[in-house]
Amino acid sequence: MNHEKISMPDHETACPEFDLLVIGGGINGVGVARDAAGRGLKVCLCEKDDLARHTSSASTKLIHGGLRYLEQYDFRLVHHALREREVLLRNAPHIIHPIRFVLPHNESLRPIWMIRLGLFLYDHLGGRRQLPGSRRVMLEQHVAGRALKEVYRTGFEYSDCWVQDARLVVLNAMDAAARGAEVLTHTRCVALSRGPTHWKATLRNERDGSSRTLTARAVVNAAGPWVEQVLESGVTTEHVRGIRFVKGSHIVVPRLFEHDYAYIFQHRDGRVLFAIPFEGEFTLLGTTDIELDTLPEKNRITPEEVAYICQAVSEYFMRPVQPSDVVWSFSGVRPLYDDAASDASRVTRDYNLHLDCDQAPILSIYGGKITTYRRLAEEVLDLLSDSLEIRGTAWTETSQLPGGDIPDADFDRFLVGCTAAYPWLSPTQLRTYAGLYGTRIHQLLAGCDAEEELGLHFGGGLFEREVRYLITQEYAESAEDIVWRRTKRGLRMSSEDIARLDRWLLERRE
């Protein structure tokens, strides 16, 4: 994100065009835009790439409190995250589902009493209401024990939630737009200039190179890994501590076990790794924690990271995982707030908000995790409330995201109703649609009475009807947007299938 400082005109604009400009279309940016628009502010959000293109689509796909953060005495973060887990599960039951984790006890690492204490705190810190608590299990009698080496005889079960992370970002952006926000993807903020009462920003459309200048009373810098580049453009001289770039990578392999439990494994280097059922036929494994000195132009998983993940989980599974098993991988850079921790894995995942009100306000977001994005957005609006004279109060805690208005947040009952409404769909396709779109499945399938009416089949269960919906409703533009972020259809599509989709999209843009 390259910014050029431009000078303000001699006179102030009488009426700024927007109340708030949000820079960054990751989870924090869209969360702030949604909350602000719902409070009556006029909001513009710009994102230089696709929504969730970077860090927000490279998570472990969990809404969780972070069990390992208890060892770092980060009780505040765990408390807030566990509370948010309950909120988000109610508000997006189509893309967020409960999942039970099994933690095999490794006698050479943490003692039993420490794990018991940690799980007791985990059960009670967040006011758990919807999910079952933890319990000790004998692995030789537990279905999850069958995939593990016989040396692991004792373990623990506990609850967390799984999430479609990129879809969570998109749904927040959709709701922000529905409430009046202007959401601009593939639009880079190339210049910012500050006055006493407002900002002037130049935005460049990355598709055609055209530019637009707008004014806003305040700026929220939610640029994630690029947050300091916004500040270094000359808009502020106040010192901030900064961020640390910590790279996290994951791999996907064919399904390693037949049950629906996930695993959390302790590793001898102090880290934990996850093995999570993924898209029915696969298992998601990760993650790594590698500190980077600089932000890479293109972030990719390395062979060393693949080997590390395979070796670490193979210490637990009876059948070793090999690098050759990998069918897909992804990697993201976490922009963590620099709390001076010596070890990258111990850097806080909590967020830090920095407000500069010397002139027109700019609020910069450091760090954070996907689970606490909604609470972060509320705090951002609270900090800006005086400057922007915000009259609306916090509202997102009890408001469903698009497609999430499922009665009693009961997805299983909703799925039964969908089965009756669309008997012509295969069970697999029906569950996929319901899980991706929730109640918006009815909008997606309006007027369809047979599979033939879904249009061209691109492969992997992706039909033209769904593609057109994603383009018109969910800001998708490329095959990558569609098969890797809006959906995970790419896992079941060949490279030729994806190329054919890209050609089809290109033909319709010409």
Side-chain angles (χ1 to χ4, degrees), residues 211-505:
S211 294
R212 166 187 176 184
T213 299
L214 57 79
T215 57
R217 295 165 62 196
V219 170
V220 168
N221 175 11
W226 296 273
V227 63
E228 287 190 326
Q229 291 187 25
V230 174
L231 299 176
E232 290 167 358
S233 64
V235 300
T236 179
T237 58
E238 190 170 337
H239 277 298
V240 291
R241 172 167 275 178
I243 59 177
R244 292 170 71 167
F245 301 124
V246 178
K247 179 184 179 186
S249 299
H250 299 77
I251 60 175
V252 175
V253 299
R255 186 166 56 189
L256 297 174
F257 41 84
E258 297 298 322
H259 54 78
D260 293 329
Y261 289 89
Y263 296 92
I264 178 172
F265 297 139
Q266 306 169 79
H267 194 254
R268 56 178 173 267
D269 63 6
R271 285 196 41 72
V272 298
L273 289 98
F274 298 97
I276 303 171
F278 190 65
E279 297 294 317
E281 302 169 29
F282 305 93
T283 302
L284 174 66
L285 303 172
T287 179
T288 59
D289 265 326
I290 298 174
E291 187 151 16
L292 304 176
D293 293 330
T294 58
L295 185 62
E297 286 189 19
K298 292 185 178 181
N299 185 52
R300 294 187 179 94
I301 192 170
T302 64
E304 291 76 17
E305 288 178 284
V306 173
Y308 169 84
I309 296 172
C310 290
Q311 177 273 326
V313 300
S314 293
E315 291 187 7
Y316 286 86
F317 285 125
M318 289 185 68
R319 180 166 68 85
V321 180
Q322 304 291 343
S324 58
D325 296 330
V326 176
V327 298
W328 184 51
S329 63
F330 57 92
S331 184
V333 176
R334 308 179 189 106
L336 303 181
Y337 178 65
D338 188 357
D339 62 355
S342 59
D343 185 349
S345 67
R346 301 187 71 84
V347 180
T348 182
R349 267 53 176 176
D350 209 350
Y351 53 82
N352 185 277
L353 307 179
H354 184 271
L355 177 62
D356 178 353
C357 284
D358 283 350
Q359 293 181 289
I362 180 170
L363 188 149
S364 297
I365 300 172
Y366 292 82
K369 59 200 300 282
I370 196 166
T371 304
T372 52
Y373 85 91
R374 192 202 63 84
R375 179 183 174 87
L376 178 152
E378 284 190 346
E379 290 191 24
V380 167
L381 272 294
D382 288 345
L383 288 171
L384 292 173
S385 60
D386 290 340
S387 300
L388 297 181
E389 300 172 332
I390 299 174
R391 295 185 176 88
T393 58
W395 61 277
T396 58
E397 182 172 350
T398 57
S399 179
Q400 285 81 28
L401 287 164
D405 51 336
I406 294 171
D408 301 321
D410 189 337
F411 180 79
D412 290 337
R413 190 169 66 186
F414 169 71
L415 188 61
V416 170
C418 290
T419 302
Y422 306 105
W424 50 272
L425 271 178
S426 71
T428 299
Q429 190 78 321
L430 181 73
R431 186 173 187 87
T432 298
Y433 284 156
L436 289 172
Y437 307 111
T439 58
R440 294 207 166 196
I441 189 175
H442 306 308
Q443 182 177 342
L444 171 69
L445 298 177
C448 285
D449 294 309
E451 186 177 283
E452 294 73 26
E453 297 176 15
L454 295 176
L456 182 65
H457 183 226
F458 293 99
L462 180 68
F463 288 88
E464 181 181 342
R465 169 66 69 110
E466 185 178 9
V467 171
R468 291 184 181 276
Y469 173 88
L470 292 171
I471 293 169
T472 59
Q473 302 296 317
E474 298 198 2
Y475 303 96
E477 297 186 19
S478 70
E480 181 183 343
D481 299 346
I482 291 168
V483 306
W484 294 120
R485 282 186 288 280
R486 305 305 186 278
T487 75
K488 293 295 180 288
R489 302 282 194 183
L491 288 168
R492 296 176 176 86
M493 297 174 71
S494 67
S495 56
E496 291 78 12
D497 291 335
I498 297 173
R500 185 160 63 104
L501 172 61
D502 247 335
R503 289 194 298 272
W504 187 89
L505 292 168

Side-chain angles (χ1 to χ4, degrees), residues 3-23:
H3 295 265
E4 306 162 3
K5 190 176 181 184
I6 59 175
S7 59
M8 287 293 290
D10 294 334
H11 60 281
E12 288 284 315
T13 301
C15 182
E17 187 177 355
F18 290 95
D19 295 309
L20 186 64
L21 170 64
V22 180
I23 301 173

Side-chain angles (χ1 to χ4, degrees), residues 173-225:
M174 291 169 61
D175 201 45
R179 298 174 189 276
E182 187 169 350
V183 177
L184 304 174
T185 61
H186 300 279
T187 301
R188 185 186 298 263
C189 180
V190 295
L192 277 173
S193 185
R194 190 181 197 180
T197 62
H198 72 271
W199 291 87
K200 184 176 181 181
T202 300
L203 309 183
R204 184 177 69 219
N205 186 318
E206 296 292 272
R207 306 174 192 86
D208 59 16
S210 61
S211 294
R212 166 187 176 184
T213 299
L214 57 79
T215 57
R217 295 165 62 196
V219 170
V220 168
N221 175 11

